[in-house]
């Protein structure tokens, strides 16, 4: 694949495949979250996904494309991706998939805010107003005025925290530019996932830190590793397969087509998450969730359209690896 392509049809294909893979990946992690620790699933999916990713590396030019003069930036970017994943999945384990996904979609708004101090980009009052509207949607979904909530306040904040790490990763991607191949960026990220999950295993793999923990999200992060049941192997292989697709397709999408063409298709992830939640887990969004979704997605799309009107590319929209 060449570095400078302008093939909108191919870009739309890649982004749709990538977003579908993300949605399926989220569903499978939630499906297994009752019995396995998160870092064990991350290790399994990244180890399997790395095999697929190396296949893409060979397709795009072989091991030579892995050379980089920005290893430190790639490592920091990988850490941000890992933190975004772990925060989001810790929430998915105990709250509806559609609600967690909608809260995570504040990431484009956070990118807009971070672009001011980090990239020095001016942001006008209309886009700042859209950011306020989007975070109003977050408040509507979290309902801080209610005394009784189904999940803890911390759990409700986890998708937003994950979105913050994701936004930092996107700003880091902007600084890396478009000099790195899609498959190479995926290798760096998968490698970071493997290192972090192995570190979790060495420190907490025996489950000693999970003893006495009441918060379900923390239990998901800290419980002991177990040998997978035979019927779960197919799901773990599915996690690895979708991980490989995500790592390549989302990066390739923004390398083969203009961001204005590709980015709106990311929002198909929300109806897919709601669909999975309904079909697989019997979850149906509340009225507050629907209203919050509308405010967040509407604000995000407005910010994107406004960026295009200003003829200035969105921060981090090139060579994206995606949330997972």
């Amino acid at each position: 694949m060449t570095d400078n392509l302008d093939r909108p049809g191919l870009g739309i294909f890649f982004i749709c495949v990538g977003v579908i893979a993300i949605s399926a990946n989220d569903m499978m992690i939630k499906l297994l979250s009752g019995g396995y620790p998160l870092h064990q699933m991350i290790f399994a999916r990244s180890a399997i996904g790395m095999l697929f990713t190396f296949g893409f590396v060979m397709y795009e030019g072989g091991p030579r494309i892995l050379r980089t003069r920005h290893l430190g930036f790639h490592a920091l970017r990988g850490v941000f991706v890992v933190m975004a994943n772990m925060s989001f999945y810790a929430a998915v384990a105990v709250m509806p998939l559609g609600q967690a996904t909608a809260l995570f979609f504040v990431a484009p708004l956070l990118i807009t805010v971070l672009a001011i101090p980090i990239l020095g980009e001016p942001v006008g009052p209309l886009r700042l107003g859209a950011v306020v509207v989007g975070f109003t949607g977050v408040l509507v979904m979290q309902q801080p005025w209610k005394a009784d909530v189904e999940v803890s306040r911390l759990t409700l904040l986890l998708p937003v925290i994950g979105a913050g790490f994701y936004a930092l990763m996107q700003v880091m991607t902007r600084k890396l530019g478009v000099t790195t191949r899609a498959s190479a960026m995926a290798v760096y990220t998968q490698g970071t996932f493997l290192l972090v999950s192995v570190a979790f295993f060495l420190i907490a793999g025996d489950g000693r830190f999970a003893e006495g923990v009441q918060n379900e999200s923390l239990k998901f992060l800290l419980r002991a590793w177990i040998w997978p049941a035979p019927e779960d192997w197919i799901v773990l292989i599915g996690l690895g397969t979708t991980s490989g697709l995500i790592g390549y397709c989302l990066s390739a999408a923004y390398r083969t087509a203009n961001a204005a063409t590709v980015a709106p298709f990311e929002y198909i992830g929300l109806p897919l998450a709601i669909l999975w939640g309904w079909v697989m887990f019997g979850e149906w969004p509340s009225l507050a969730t629907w209203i919050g979704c509308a405010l967040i997605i509407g604000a995000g799309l407005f910010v994107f359209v406004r960026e295009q009107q200003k003829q200035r590319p969105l921060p981090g929209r090139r060579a994206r690896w995606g949330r997972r």
Side-chain angles (χ1 to χ4, degrees), residues 1-7 177-181 252 254-258 318:
M1 185 181 295
T2 59
D3 283 333
N4 297 308
L5 295 176
D6 185 16
R7 302 173 64 183
V178 294
T179 59
T180 306
R181 297 275 187 167
Y254 284 95
R255 291 174 62 86
T256 56
N258 187 279
R318 301 296 295 177

Side-chain angles (χ1 to χ4, degrees), residues 14 25 42 62 71 131 207 214 224 240:
F14 276 132
N25 196 273
I42 293 294
L71 187 59
V131 170
Q214 299 299 318

Side-chain angles (χ1 to χ4, degrees), residues 299-313:
L301 287 172
F302 177 86
V303 166
F304 180 80
V305 170
R306 188 65 179 167
E307 288 280 358
Q308 299 309 308
Q309 290 176 344
K310 295 289 185 180
Q311 296 183 343
R312 184 169 56 251

Side-chain angles (χ1 to χ4, degrees), residues 15-304:
I15 196 67
C16 288
V17 173
V19 172
I20 291 169
I22 285 176
S23 179
N25 196 273
D26 293 349
M27 179 273 293
M28 287 185 282
I29 284 184
K30 185 174 179 67
L31 192 65
L32 295 179
S33 64
Y36 299 91
L38 176 58
H39 43 93
Q40 182 179 4
M41 284 190 280
I42 293 294
F43 176 83
R45 78 165 197 171
S46 296
I48 297 170
M50 185 69 88
L51 299 177
F52 288 94
T53 303
F54 272 122
F56 291 129
V57 167
M58 299 307 296
Y59 168 71
E60 287 198 332
R64 64 179 178 81
I65 70 172
L66 296 176
R67 298 192 195 118
T68 179
R69 293 176 294 176
H70 308 290
L71 187 59
F73 282 119
H74 283 294
L76 184 58
R77 180 179 178 272
V79 169
F80 288 152
V81 175
V82 169
M83 295 302 295
N85 271 255
M86 289 196 165
S87 300
F88 176 78
Y89 287 130
V92 163
V94 294
M95 66 186 293
L97 187 58
Q99 184 181 17
T101 302
L103 288 169
F104 192 89
F105 269 113
V106 300
L109 305 177
L110 290 172
I111 292 171
T112 299
V113 173
L114 289 173
I116 302 173
I118 297 178
L119 298 178
E121 296 193 359
V123 176
L126 290 179
R127 279 174 291 163
L128 287 176
V131 170
V132 172
V133 170
F135 278 96
T136 300
V138 172
L139 290 176
V140 169
M141 294 175 69
Q142 294 187 341
Q143 302 183 70
W145 53 85
K146 289 183 64 176
D148 56 327
V149 290
E150 295 181 4
V151 296
S152 70
R153 298 295 184 191
L154 175 60
T155 301
L156 286 169
L157 280 175
L158 285 174
V160 180
I161 293 171
F165 281 114
Y166 175 77
L168 287 169
M169 180 274 292
Q170 289 288 50
V171 174
M172 184 62 63
T173 302
R174 172 67 173 271
K175 286 188 174 293
L176 284 171
V178 294
T179 59
T180 306
R181 297 275 187 167
S183 57
M185 295 190 80
V187 166
Y188 303 141
T189 308
Q190 296 281 26
T192 307
F193 275 119
L194 287 172
L195 290 174
V196 172
S197 58
V198 168
F200 260 92
F201 170 73
L202 294 175
I203 296 171
D206 59 0
R208 64 182 182 274
F209 294 111
E211 296 177 4
V213 173
Q214 299 299 318
N215 185 281
E216 292 299 323
S217 293
L218 284 177
K219 282 185 182 179
F220 185 34
L221 287 172
L222 299 174
R223 67 166 61 105
W225 283 39
I226 60 174
W227 188 256
E231 62 271 17
D232 291 339
W233 276 106
I234 186 66
V235 182
L236 291 171
I237 293 172
L239 281 173
T241 304
T242 54
S243 178
L245 285 173
I246 293 165
Y248 182 80
C249 287
L250 269 70
S251 293
Y254 284 95
R255 291 174 62 86
T256 56
N258 187 279
T261 301
V262 170
F265 287 88
E266 292 187 37
Y267 286 98
I268 66 174
L270 182 56
L272 285 173
I274 293 173
L275 177 64
W276 283 123
W278 176 52
V279 172
M280 298 297 297
F281 309 107
E283 302 167 348
W284 188 251
S286 65
L287 178 60
T289 299
W290 283 115
I291 294 173
C293 285
L295 291 173
I296 293 170
I297 302 304
L301 287 172
F302 177 86
V303 166
F304 180 80

